[in-house]
Amino acid sequence: DAKTTQPPSMDCAEGRAANLPCNHSTISGNEYVYWYRQIHSQGPQYIIHGLKNNETNEMASLIITEDRKSSTLILPHATLRDTAVYYCIVRGGWGKLQFGAGTQVVVTP
Amino acid sequence: GAGVSQTPSNKVTEKGKYVELRCDPISGHTALYWYRQSLGQGPEFLIYFQGTGAADDSGLPNDRFFAVRPEGSVSTLKIQRTERGDSAVYLCASSREGFDTGELFFGEGSRLTVL
């Protein structure tokens, strides 16, 4: 599975949109991009995933570039409860998800 | 409905002892995963079950680690001759493989401390 690169940390003001970048330049055609987050002392939580089209659900939006080498997770109106580590993962087919170090997002009042 | 349940939530043991960690997946989920997470790091894959069989055990660090899922539901992670380096949070997840949304449902984890 392709590796991903994320910034180690970022801050966001409460009520503003949080844009979390992820680079996956070696992604192959059948690999999906997944986003999970992990709030302190909890297990990871699924957010969203996509292949090549942009995706939106009640939690977030996922924007994937046309060449699929990078993506951005958008939290439209960040709240204090969105403070967490966010993981961008690339996976083809079924089986394990390989987590990296993720991005520590801190939402401040 | 009930989520993934892991027991015990905390386990403190002495170096060299044997430990079992249990995972009850969401009912009907055929895939089950074990991960471990050390402080400040992302979850590290250990093993993945599809039904009763281990489909991928490439993440098990050595032969002291073993996992079973005899009836395709509950799974037990077994660690023999524990070492201080085994201290971590052990996470279990399940999913409805066959409807591959990529959505794994994680439990709260079992925190293992080896003294």
Side-chain angles (χ1 to χ4, degrees):
Chain A
D1 293 332
K3 273 190 71 173
T4 63
T5 303
Q6 299 178 253
S9 64
M10 61 184 294
D11 294 337
C12 178
E14 188 178 20
R16 297 291 187 106
N19 296 287
L20 282 62
C22 180
N23 183 287
H24 32 79
S25 57
T26 59
I27 194 170
S28 59
N30 66 343
E31 290 181 315
Y32 285 76
V33 179
Y34 297 87
W35 284 84
Y36 278 72
R37 74 179 184 184
Q38 188 172 24
I39 294 170
H40 184 60
S41 297
Q42 297 183 20
Q45 176 192 24
Y46 167 85
I47 301 173
I48 199 167
H49 78 287
L51 182 62
K52 48 186 171 182
N53 296 324
N54 298 337
E55 303 288 340
T56 295
N57 63 22
E58 65 278 3
M59 288 182 71
S61 294
L62 173 60
I63 309 298
I64 302 174
T65 58
E66 193 169 340
D67 64 7
R68 304 209 322 122
K69 293 180 186 291
S70 66
S71 61
T72 301
L73 179 75
I74 301 172
L75 308 178
H77 304 287
T79 71
L80 298 179
R81 289 173 296 179
D82 292 323
T83 292
V85 178
Y86 287 76
Y87 298 100
C88 171
I89 303 164
V90 171
R91 182 181 82 161
W94 297 349
K96 65 193 178 201
L97 291 172
Q98 300 269 39
F99 289 81
T103 297
Q104 172 68 64
V105 173
V106 176
V107 180
T108 54
Chain B
V4 176
S5 175
Q6 293 189 245
T7 54
S9 56
N10 274 288
K11 175 71 177 177
V12 179
T13 190
E14 293 178 344
K15 180 175 177 298
K17 298 288 189 183
Y18 169 80
V19 165
E20 288 190 354
L21 306 175
R22 176 187 167 106
C23 173
D24 278 272
I26 293 172
S27 177
H29 281 192
T30 58
L32 185 145
Y33 305 76
W34 283 100
Y35 287 80
R36 74 175 174 181
Q37 186 169 27
S38 301
L39 194 62
Q41 299 182 18
E44 173 193 13
F45 170 78
L46 295 177
I47 186 169
Y48 154 55
F49 287 90
Q50 181 59 264
T52 60
D56 184 351
D57 64 358
S58 62
L60 293 178
N62 51 60
D63 61 5
R64 295 188 298 105
F65 288 75
F66 190 71
V68 295
R69 195 185 184 200
E71 297 178 358
S73 179
V74 170
S75 176
T76 304
L77 179 66
K78 309 180 182 205
I79 310 174
Q80 298 178 317
R81 305 182 304 280
T82 52
E83 300 177 356
R84 293 195 179 88
D86 299 334
S87 296
V89 175
Y90 288 82
L91 294 162
C92 176
S94 68
S95 74
R96 299 180 300 153
E97 291 290 328
F99 301 90
D100 184 46
T101 66
E103 183 171 2
L104 273 59
F105 295 83
F106 281 83
E108 297 288 305
S110 292
R111 180 177 297 278
L112 174 66
T113 302
V114 182
L115 301 177

